[in-house]
């Protein structure tokens, strides 16, 4: 059987090292299979998060050969196996142990974003009417599996550590999904500018590149939000116009 | 004892998938202080993997639909051993629960007139499943999560419950550990809701996440609650079979709902060969009619690919057994053929089944818009679980409630696709409401510190065991054994042998050792999950032995027919005084006349 060497980060916040493990390679195998095999045979205590192993839960984020990836969706057949495959934790959040980081900041950030606030129902039975074409964009954002790979790769968080001033690409698309929701009546533009730091994003599109759901984070969410913030701040007439349009229910998109 | 972290809540919800989140929201809405424990991070529960949709008789696509048809479909699918009151409540309340999700921000696919779109699914007479492409579960869990975080619920992430604590007959708390540091925690609560999902990890080939280890089933059982219908384990007919790495991964029934067909290696559409008597009247007998049904022709009857899951799974097993399978031991599921019928079929498939397209392309090197998939049955869902009161969801232990997959009753001998997500919502809400009500009428119960000490010692035992046995090896041996002995086709001697194997595995479990420290140690977690897996495995085996007939998901080679006598009873499992598992049959209560009439009318 063909084999491969995995160079896996072992350690915690106090320190650690890369350790090499060898495993067999079978057809169709993904990096998470290798991690599981190593856990079951050599290193019972090797910590990694995973749930679905189908690219749907966004738990097994890690950096494989330096690239932020879901381990369950990274086939060994796409990696050069003639040298060790490095697997290490994502870098934007504090390390807990081995491949696990403390991502709780993301949950706190989400809680601070103003929640969905729908307009009154359109029909007497308490339901709404929306056309498919008006929700396509929002549905794109709602594909997000919260793997936080976009947060990991965003230099504002990863390098500049602006956790108190910037919410990161994940939550910019979250705000975009709310703002562009045809039923929503809330206004989140002031926070976007004042406390959520949308101005920090300089559109390098790293987030879009690593998104396992292929969401066009920058083009479809962040840039339109930036435009709205600018319009809102510098153009009171435009702001009024948008408010009225939104009230009429034609949505924000 | 100061070394434990302690928490107090009116209502403690264990499990944060669809049912747990919906329950927590309802309890909080009723004014209770609520703690919500999740074994993983919030929003990662197995509900994210649900694909096809939420069954609810909204009648947006076909106005002939209503709760009565949904009720009759659910009972027929469950072979009439369902808890009929649950099936009734479910069918009546599901539409309101779906509309509520929309009010909380869910964005379902739309009909042309802007309402929630509904799709066809197996066993449902009319297009009934509200959906978002093939990622409905993600939409549902995210909607509940994003709504739930604003309801004042205390969320305890990556915490795992090891045992329920009792004060006399009633439940008074839970003993748990946090994964991050391995510290023990004591939760005191006036009422506890179990919403821990399924048991798929007791089997080798499964569509389930790592965390589907039957925790709620086992916690309830060891706390003295009764389990019901444990023999009914659903094998979803279409799981991936190749490559080995993804074996068992779910392929949504939505593929067949959109017109996908099943063929064997002769290219024959074998599902037409055997259509069960009670479905003959509503099943197409030719390909043309079946296709028209999937395209919304109200005069057409559904194709046999959309028969119930138990039946489709058995037909697939038959094809494979008789040598008509695919190279990797499955059958073909083909959606690409619709290009003969539809313009822009490729685009249509990618839009309606995006995750399936992605999953096969990325993990199986198969382009489903151009070639067929290879599929075979995979352990998917357990109809059996904690026996609950239909209206309140309270178990036989006062103060202990259950909802969702870990509770039982609504599905009978077989669950219809789409009825799970609606079950989570309907009974999650009910459990939340009645647990909060129960909590209002109670004070906090006591916690026996001696019991806690014993539980803590037991939990730490694997660190003292050295390398006698490996928890991963025991888990794998259990999965292989259950797959082989108590799988899709069952018979007496294999199941007797399963009981013998289980005895050995229980002994081995006491001996498993783990290395390293208590901080996020997956080996240790695996060791602690074994007790739950073994408990549910034994319950499934004993119940399957007890039911000497074939009905729904239970297929006995030695008793291949339905028996009228067994059709009148449920099997009940509980923990006896001596600690051994007990089993009895109990007669199903007589159905209300009104409901009987509905079933007659819909035949």
């Amino acid at each position: 059987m063909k084999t491969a060497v995995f160079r896996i980060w072992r350690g915690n916040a106090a320190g650690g090292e890369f350790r090499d493990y060898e495993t067999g390679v079978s057809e169709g195998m993904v990096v998470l299979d290798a991690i599981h095999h190593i856990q079951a045979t050599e290193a019972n205590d090797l910590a990694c998060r995973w749930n679905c192993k189908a690219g749907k839960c966004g738990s097994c984020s890690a950096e494989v050969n330096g690239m932020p990836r879901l381990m369950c969706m990274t086939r060994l057949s796409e990696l050069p196996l003639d040298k060790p495959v490095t697997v290490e934790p994502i870098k934007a959040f504090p390390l807990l142990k081995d491949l696990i980081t403390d991502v709780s900041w993301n949950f706190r950030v989400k809680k601070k974003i103003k929640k969905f606030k729908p307009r009154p129902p359109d029909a007497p039975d308490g339901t709404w009417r929306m056309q498919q074409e008006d929700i396509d964009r929002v549905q794109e954002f709602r594909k997000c599996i919260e793997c936080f790979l976009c947060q990991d790769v965003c230099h504002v968080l990863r390098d500049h550590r602006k956790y108190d001033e910037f919410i990161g690409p994940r939550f910019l698309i979250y705000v975009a999904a709310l703002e562009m929701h045809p039923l929503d009546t809330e206004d989140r533009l002031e926070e976007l500018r004042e406390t959520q730091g949308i101005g920090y994003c300089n559109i390098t599109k790293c987030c879009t590149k690593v998104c396992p759901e292929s969401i066009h984070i920058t083009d479809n969410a962040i840039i339109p939000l930036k435009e709205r913030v600018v319009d809102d701040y510098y153009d009171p007439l435009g702001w009024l116009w948008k408010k009225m349009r939104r009230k009429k229910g034609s949505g924000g998109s | 004892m100061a070394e434990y972290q302690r928490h107090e809540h009116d209502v403690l919800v264990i499990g944060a998938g669809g049912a747990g989140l919906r329950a927590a929201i309802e309890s909080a809405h009723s004014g209770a202080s609520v703690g919500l424990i999740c074994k993983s991070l919030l929003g990662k529960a197995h509900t994210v993997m649900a694909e096809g949709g939420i069954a609810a008789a909204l009648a947006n696509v076909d106005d002939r639909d209503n709760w009565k048809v949904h009720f009759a479909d659910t009972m027929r699918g469950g072979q009439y051993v369902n808890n009929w009151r649950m099936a009734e409540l479910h069918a009546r309340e599901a539409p309101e629960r779906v509309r509520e999700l929309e009010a909380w921000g869910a964005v379902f696919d739309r009909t042309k007139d802007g309402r929630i779109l509904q799709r066809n699914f197996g066993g449902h007479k009319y297009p009934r499943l509200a959906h978002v492409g093939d990622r409905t579960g993600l939409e549902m869990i995210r909607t509940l999560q994003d709504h739930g975080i604003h309801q004042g619920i205390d969320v305890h992430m990556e915490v795992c419950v090891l045992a329920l604590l009792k004060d006399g007959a009633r439940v008074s708390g839970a003993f748990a550990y946090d994964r991050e540091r391995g510290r023990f925690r004591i939760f005191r609560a006036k009422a506890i809701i179990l919403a821990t999902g399924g048991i798929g990890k007791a089997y080798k080939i499964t569509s389930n996440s790592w965390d589907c280890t039957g925790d709620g089933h086992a916690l309830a059982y060891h706390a003295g609650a009764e389990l019901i219908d444990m023999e009914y384990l659903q094998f979803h007919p279409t799981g991936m079979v190749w490559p080995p790495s993804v074996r068992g991964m779910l392929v949504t029934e939505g593929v067949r709902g959109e017109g996908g067909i099943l063929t064997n290696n002769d290219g024959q559409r074998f599902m037409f060969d055997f259509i069960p008597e009670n479905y003959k009247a509503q099943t197409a007998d030719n390909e043309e009619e079946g296709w028209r049904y999937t395209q919304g022709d109200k005069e057409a009857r559904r194709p046999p690919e959309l028969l119930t899951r138990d039946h489709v799974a058995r037909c697939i097993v038959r094809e494979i057994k008789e040598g008509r399978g695919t190279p990797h031991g499955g059958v073909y599921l083909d959606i690409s053929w619709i290009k003969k019928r539809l313009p822009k079929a490729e685009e249509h498939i990618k839009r309606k089944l995006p995750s399936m397209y992605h999953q096969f392309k990325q993990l199986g090197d198969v382009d489903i818009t151009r070639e067929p998939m290879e599929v075979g049955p995979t352990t998917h869902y357990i109809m059996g679980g904690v026996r609950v009161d239909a209206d309140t969801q309270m178990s036989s232990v006062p103060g202990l409630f259950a909802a969702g997959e870990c509770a039982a009753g609504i599905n009978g001998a077989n669950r219809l696709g789409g009825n799970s997500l609606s079950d989570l919502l309907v009974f999650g809400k009910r459990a939340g409401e009645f647990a909060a009500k129960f909590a209002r009428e109670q004070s906090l119960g006591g916690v026996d510190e001696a019991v806690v000490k014993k539980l803590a010692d037991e939990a730490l035992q694997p660190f003292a065991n050295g390398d006698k046995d490996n928890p991963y090896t025991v888990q794998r041996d259990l999965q292989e054994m259950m797959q082989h002995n108590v799988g899709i086709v069952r018979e007496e001697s294999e199941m007797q042998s399963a009981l013998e194997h289980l005895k050995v595995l229980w002994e081995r479990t006491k001996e498993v050792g783990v290395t390293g420290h208590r901080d996020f140690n997956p080996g240790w977690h695996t060791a602690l999950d074994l007790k739950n897996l073994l408990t549910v495995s034994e319950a499934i085996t004993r119940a399957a032995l007890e039911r000497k007939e074939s009905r729904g998901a239970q297929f006995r080679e030695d008793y291949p027919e339905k028996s009228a006598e067994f059709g009148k009873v449920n099997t009940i499992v509980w923990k006896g005084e001596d600690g051994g598992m007990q089993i009895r049959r109990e007669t199903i209560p007589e159905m209300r006349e009104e409901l009987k009439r509905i079933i007659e009318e819909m035949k």
Side-chain angles (χ1 to χ4, degrees):
Chain A
M1 194 189 206
K2 221 171 117 186
T3 61
V5 174
F6 286 81
R7 185 160 289 172
I8 302 170
W9 173 261
R10 299 300 311 269
N12 55 29
E17 58 181 2
F18 281 100
R19 261 182 245 164
D20 286 359
Y21 300 89
E22 193 172 308
T23 67
V25 175
S26 59
E27 191 177 340
M29 201 165 150
V30 294
V31 172
L32 188 57
D33 289 318
I35 298 290
H36 283 163
H37 183 74
I38 292 160
Q39 262 182 347
T41 53
E42 289 180 75
N44 280 191
D45 60 342
L46 165 58
C48 83
R49 285 195 182 99
W50 72 286
N51 282 60
C52 74
K53 202 175 168 288
K56 295 198 171 88
C57 73
S59 302
C60 63
S61 304
E63 297 189 5
V64 179
N65 284 347
M67 276 300 289
R69 304 288 299 263
L70 294 177
M71 291 192 284
C72 71
M73 297 302 275
T74 307
R75 297 267 300 261
L76 296 191
S77 56
E78 57 180 286
L79 301 170
L81 297 182
D82 51 344
K83 52 188 178 192
V85 177
T86 60
V87 186
E88 55 194 311
I90 57 175
K91 296 293 184 306
F93 303 109
L95 178 65
L96 288 176
K97 186 187 162 193
D98 301 338
L99 301 177
I100 293 192
T101 57
D102 177 359
V103 292
S104 57
W105 174 81
N106 294 284
F107 292 87
R108 291 193 296 275
V109 166
K110 187 188 249 189
K111 215 169 168 173
K112 283 190 231 156
I113 295 167
K114 284 182 185 162
K115 65 178 181 183
F116 175 66
K117 191 170 143 194
R119 68 182 183 225
D122 301 333
D125 66 354
T127 60
W128 288 270
R129 300 291 177 270
M130 291 184 270
Q131 289 304 309
Q132 185 63 41
E133 64 204 40
D134 294 329
I135 58 166
D136 281 341
R137 181 57 45 82
V138 177
Q139 285 188 328
E140 181 195 354
F141 302 150
R142 292 180 69 87
K143 285 195 308 188
C144 172
I145 57 173
E146 301 197 330
C147 64
F148 306 130
L149 288 176
C150 58
Q151 308 286 67
D152 180 45
V153 84
C154 176
H155 63 98
V156 184
L157 297 173
R158 189 185 177 104
D159 301 324
H160 303 290
R161 308 265 149 185
K162 298 276 186 197
Y163 301 105
D164 296 331
E165 298 160 64
F166 183 60
I167 59 176
R170 159 58 191 136
F171 296 106
L172 290 173
I173 63 162
Y174 181 67
V175 173
L178 288 163
E179 285 287 303
M180 296 181 197
H181 194 306
L183 305 185
D184 184 68
T185 58
E186 189 57 90
D187 188 338
R188 301 170 187 82
L189 296 184
E190 193 184 328
E191 290 89 338
L192 268 179
R193 192 172 64 88
E194 298 296 332
T195 58
Q196 295 166 353
I198 190 164
Y200 278 114
C201 169
N202 56 2
I203 320 185
T204 52
K205 301 197 182 184
C206 306
C207 50
T208 304
K209 261 179 233 146
V210 300
C211 177
E213 286 293 316
S214 306
I215 300 170
H216 299 89
I217 303 175
T218 321
D219 289 346
N220 288 352
I222 299 182
I223 292 175
L225 281 184
K226 277 176 173 278
E227 286 169 357
R228 286 181 186 208
V229 168
V230 169
D231 288 354
D232 185 47
Y233 190 58
Y234 296 104
D235 177 9
L237 276 178
W239 176 84
L240 193 64
W241 169 241
K242 273 172 190 258
K243 268 289 186 214
M244 287 166 59
R245 273 188 46 171
R246 202 174 299 164
K247 278 208 180 112
K248 271 169 29 193
S250 58
S253 49
Chain B
M1 278 182 274
E3 72 261 40
Y4 306 127
Q5 266 196 49
R6 289 165 192 265
H7 309 269
E8 283 180 13
H9 303 286
D10 291 335
V11 176
L12 180 68
V13 183
I14 303 173
L21 275 162
R22 187 63 191 81
I25 289 169
E26 197 62 24
S27 285
H29 180 72
S30 308
S33 70
V34 181
L36 176 62
I37 291 182
C38 34
K39 208 164 152 176
S40 304
L41 295 172
L42 186 62
K44 308 294 185 196
H46 191 57
T47 304
V48 296
M49 292 182 75
E51 293 167 352
I54 313 174
L58 296 159
N60 287 354
V61 173
D62 194 318
D63 57 15
R64 291 172 297 182
D65 203 11
N66 58 56
W67 78 264
K68 293 176 184 172
V69 190
H70 192 183
F71 167 75
D73 285 351
T74 301
M75 293 299 293
R76 187 187 300 111
Q79 306 268 358
Y80 304 105
V81 292
N82 321 50
N83 178 321
W84 46 263
R85 174 64 177 161
M86 281 176 85
E88 178 197 3
L89 290 170
H90 168 256
R92 281 180 186 271
E93 294 174 7
E96 191 48 40
R97 295 287 80 77
V98 171
R99 287 194 281 265
E100 193 171 66
L101 286 185
E102 183 151 283
W104 294 346
V107 185
F108 292 103
D109 289 354
R110 314 310 291 184
T111 62
K112 287 212 167 62
D113 65 351
R115 296 187 292 169
I116 294 172
L117 182 61
Q118 297 181 274
R119 69 155 48 118
N120 287 314
F121 237 58
H124 293 283
K125 192 165 184 191
Y126 302 119
R128 189 174 285 147
L129 270 68
H131 62 276
V132 185
D134 55 4
R135 55 161 193 86
T136 313
L138 174 67
E139 185 69 16
M140 183 164 130
I141 201 165
R142 203 63 83 226
T143 301
L144 293 170
Q145 174 188 350
D146 295 350
H147 182 72
I149 56 175
H150 297 288
Q151 311 304 312
I153 298 162
D154 284 332
V155 181
H156 305 276
M157 289 201 284
E158 297 190 311
V159 168
C160 187
V161 175
L162 291 171
L164 297 176
L165 304 171
K166 288 178 78 178
D167 182 353
R170 68 175 274 216
V171 74
S172 62
F175 179 69
Y177 69 92
D178 67 71
R179 290 183 179 263
E180 187 183 325
R181 293 269 171 255
R183 290 166 301 204
F184 293 123
R185 297 191 185 197
I186 294 173
F187 292 85
R188 291 176 70 199
K190 296 172 186 167
I192 292 184
I193 301 171
L194 296 170
T196 55
I199 62 94
K201 280 291 159 193
Y203 285 75
K204 183 181 170 191
I205 301 171
T206 176
S207 64
N208 287 190
S209 294
W210 76 270
D211 41 4
C212 299
T213 47
D215 297 9
H217 291 80
L219 290 171
Y221 168 83
H222 291 291
E226 291 176 340
L227 306 181
I228 187 169
D229 290 342
M230 289 299 284
E231 66 274 36
Y232 298 126
L233 178 63
Q234 180 167 79
F235 295 86
H236 194 289
T238 59
M240 287 176 82
V241 295
W242 190 259
S245 156
V246 294
R247 181 145 201 180
M249 193 183 285
L250 188 65
V251 179
T252 176
E253 195 166 310
V255 176
R256 285 169 281 147
E258 298 296 337
I261 57 172
L262 290 165
T263 59
N264 58 24
N265 65 9
D266 299 329
Q268 185 207 0
R269 218 172 140 183
F270 57 87
M271 287 305 300
F272 279 105
D273 294 355
F274 179 64
I275 297 167
E277 209 46 52
N278 59 342
Y279 280 97
K280 272 220 165 104
Q282 37 174 278
T283 307
D285 53 14
N286 64 84
E287 300 190 7
E288 186 55 39
E289 184 180 359
W291 167 251
R292 282 193 284 116
Y293 176 89
T294 64
Q295 299 312 296
D297 181 342
K298 291 184 182 175
E299 301 308 313
R301 295 171 298 174
R302 64 172 165 253
E305 275 85 359
L306 290 177
L307 284 163
T308 52
R309 289 175 174 177
D310 50 345
H311 176 74
V312 180
R314 271 196 299 280
C315 290
I316 291 174
V317 168
R318 185 192 61 207
E319 291 303 306
I320 299 166
K321 259 195 177 164
E322 294 176 5
R324 295 185 294 275
T326 64
H328 299 112
V331 294
Y332 293 111
L333 171 62
D334 191 6
I335 183 75
S336 70
W337 81 278
I338 67 171
K339 60 182 172 265
K340 292 184 200 153
R341 302 279 189 152
L342 281 184
K344 294 189 185 166
E346 190 176 326
E347 240 171 73
H348 179 78
I349 295 166
K350 285 185 192 168
R351 189 164 53 82
K352 297 308 278 187
L353 303 161
S355 310
M356 287 304 105
Y357 173 74
H358 194 57
Q359 179 174 314
F360 273 91
K361 188 98 181 145
Q362 201 160 351
L363 298 174
D365 297 321
V366 169
D367 179 348
I368 68 166
T369 68
R370 289 163 196 275
E371 52 194 322
M373 303 157 241
E374 279 184 76
V375 297
T378 179
T379 312
H380 185 54
Y381 183 92
I382 188 155
M383 277 68 75
V386 182
R387 185 185 199 189
V388 290
D389 174 76
D391 289 74
T392 66
Q393 298 289 292
M394 190 155 89
S395 72
S396 50
V397 172
L400 181 63
F401 297 73
E405 189 172 348
C406 76
I410 180 198
N411 297 300
N414 172 64
R415 174 175 72 80
L416 299 184
N419 271 1
S420 179
L421 291 187
S422 41
D423 165 24
L424 307 186
L425 295 171
V426 168
F427 295 107
K429 182 201 179 264
R430 282 188 165 267
E433 180 184 339
F434 287 96
K437 182 169 179 285
F438 184 91
R440 274 198 300 277
E441 295 156 1
Q442 306 288 328
S443 52
L444 276 174
V447 164
D448 185 336
E449 298 290 339
V451 170
V452 167
K453 170 79 173 59
K454 188 162 168 279
L455 289 166
D457 290 345
E458 271 172 27
L460 293 174
Q461 186 60 38
F463 287 105
N465 281 350
D467 56 358
K468 281 185 207 154
D469 211 336
N470 176 343
Y472 289 95
T473 315
V474 175
Q475 192 196 56
R476 189 200 59 208
D477 292 350
L478 170 70
Q479 290 165 340
E480 285 180 358
M481 191 283 287
M482 287 300 285
Q483 189 78 35
H484 183 259
N485 289 313
V486 201
I488 201 164
V489 177
R490 299 168 176 175
E491 63 87 33
E492 180 87 19
S493 66
E494 282 178 353
M495 291 194 283
Q496 291 295 355
S497 131
L499 290 178
E500 293 306 312
H501 282 292
L502 285 169
K503 271 188 212 157
V504 176
L505 288 163
W506 271 115
E507 289 308 311
R508 287 178 61 190
T509 294
K510 290 181 199 155
E511 304 261 286
V512 295
V514 296
T515 53
H517 305 285
R518 283 164 70 173
D519 299 5
F520 221 115
N521 186 334
W524 185 37
H525 305 165
T526 302
L528 296 176
D529 287 343
L530 286 173
K531 180 180 168 190
N532 301 333
L533 286 171
L534 287 164
T535 303
V536 293
S537 296
E538 186 178 341
I540 293 167
T541 309
R542 290 196 186 278
L545 273 166
E546 181 72 13
R547 183 169 291 278
K548 293 182 173 41
E549 66 155 353
S550 293
R551 177 181 299 273
Q554 153 100 336
F555 185 75
R556 295 271 310 242
E557 213 160 35
D558 41 0
Y559 300 95
E561 302 299 326
K562 254 188 259 187
S563 118
E565 183 199 343
F566 275 102
K568 293 180 193 136
V569 296
N570 296 121
T571 57
I572 317 274
V573 162
W574 78 101
K575 190 173 181 173
E577 301 270 310
D578 63 349
M581 195 174 280
Q582 308 294 309
I583 189 158
R584 69 172 190 272
R585 299 174 202 169
E586 208 173 285
T587 305
I588 300 170
E590 183 81 11
M591 195 185 298
R592 287 206 324 269
E593 284 305 320
E594 172 206 0
L595 297 179
K596 279 189 193 163
R597 274 199 302 278
I598 291 171
I599 287 173
E600 271 313 304
E601 282 165 23
M602 304 288 168
K603 265 194 175 150

